[in-house]
Amino acid sequence: MKKHRDILVIEDDEDDREILQEIFRDLGYKNHIIFFSDSTEALEYLRKPEIDPFIVISDINMPKLGGFELRNLILKEEIFMDKDIPYIFISNAQDDRSVKAANKLSAQGYIHKGSDYNNYKEKIKDLIDYWVENIGSFKSRRA
């Protein structure tokens, strides 16, 4: 089932990747977590026809190709049209402009990282549990 497929995390900050690794380890999901520090490498990986992850979790502010730009490319490429991959943004930004930009790109979620580990862990748990429960019940929105 799709809910046991890989979780892709696109995060350029090493400390943030380590925190997410710890969160996923603590939560004990069976999914393999694949981390990308470079969004362009993540895009190339996602373009492979055989790649169909459970979910993509992407930071917004990254060098080379930011999270919003990455999502925009994914929405425009035909190879992604039938993959139905939930796309979630994570960011330290908590402003209305960022949330609105994420919504315009048909993101299925936006999580503020914050500084409280347990709160962040609970947000990630709620996110994954939601998609485990509902995968297949919804189709991704397309622009």
Side-chain angles (χ1 to χ4, degrees):
M1 288 187 82
K2 186 173 172 90
K3 64 185 174 185
H4 296 296
R5 291 187 182 161
D6 298 342
I7 295 173
L8 271 60
V9 178
I10 308 165
E11 171 61 72
D12 66 308
D13 185 272
E14 185 176 349
D15 291 336
D16 287 343
R17 283 193 310 272
E18 288 176 9
I19 290 168
L20 283 165
Q21 283 178 326
E22 186 176 329
I23 286 172
F24 281 112
R25 187 173 39 252
D26 287 353
L27 293 174
Y29 292 110
K30 294 179 183 181
N31 308 69
H32 182 231
I33 314 300
I34 301 175
F35 286 90
F36 288 92
S37 60
D38 183 323
S39 54
T40 59
E41 292 176 7
L43 180 60
E44 289 306 312
Y45 179 80
L46 285 165
R47 283 178 173 149
K48 296 177 183 177
E50 69 275 13
I51 300 302
D52 191 19
F54 169 61
I55 197 167
V56 172
I57 300 171
S58 172
D59 189 19
I60 292 173
N61 298 312
M62 296 182 284
K64 294 185 188 177
L65 185 65
F68 291 147
E69 293 83 10
L70 173 62
R71 177 65 175 158
N72 193 42
L73 287 172
I74 287 172
L75 287 171
K76 290 180 180 180
E77 291 191 25
E78 190 172 330
I79 193 166
F80 297 111
M81 294 297 172
D82 292 326
K83 288 193 176 189
D84 271 337
I85 306 167
Y87 198 98
I88 310 302
F89 286 113
I90 55 173
S91 180
N92 284 315
Q94 197 173 10
D95 58 286
D96 287 342
R97 195 175 117 240
S98 295
V99 174
K100 286 180 182 179
N103 288 335
K104 285 182 181 179
L105 292 169
S106 301
Q108 284 76 35
Y110 186 102
I111 293 177
H112 179 249
K113 295 176 187 177
S115 58
D116 181 313
Y117 175 84
N118 288 324
N119 188 324
Y120 191 26
K121 182 169 103 173
E122 191 64 28
K123 289 177 186 180
I124 296 294
K125 179 187 181 310
D126 290 347
L127 166 78
I128 300 300
D129 289 351
Y130 172 84
W131 285 104
V132 164
E133 182 70 27
N134 291 292
I135 203 73
S137 300
F138 299 102
K139 294 291 183 185
S140 302
R141 296 180 301 177
R142 297 286 177 207

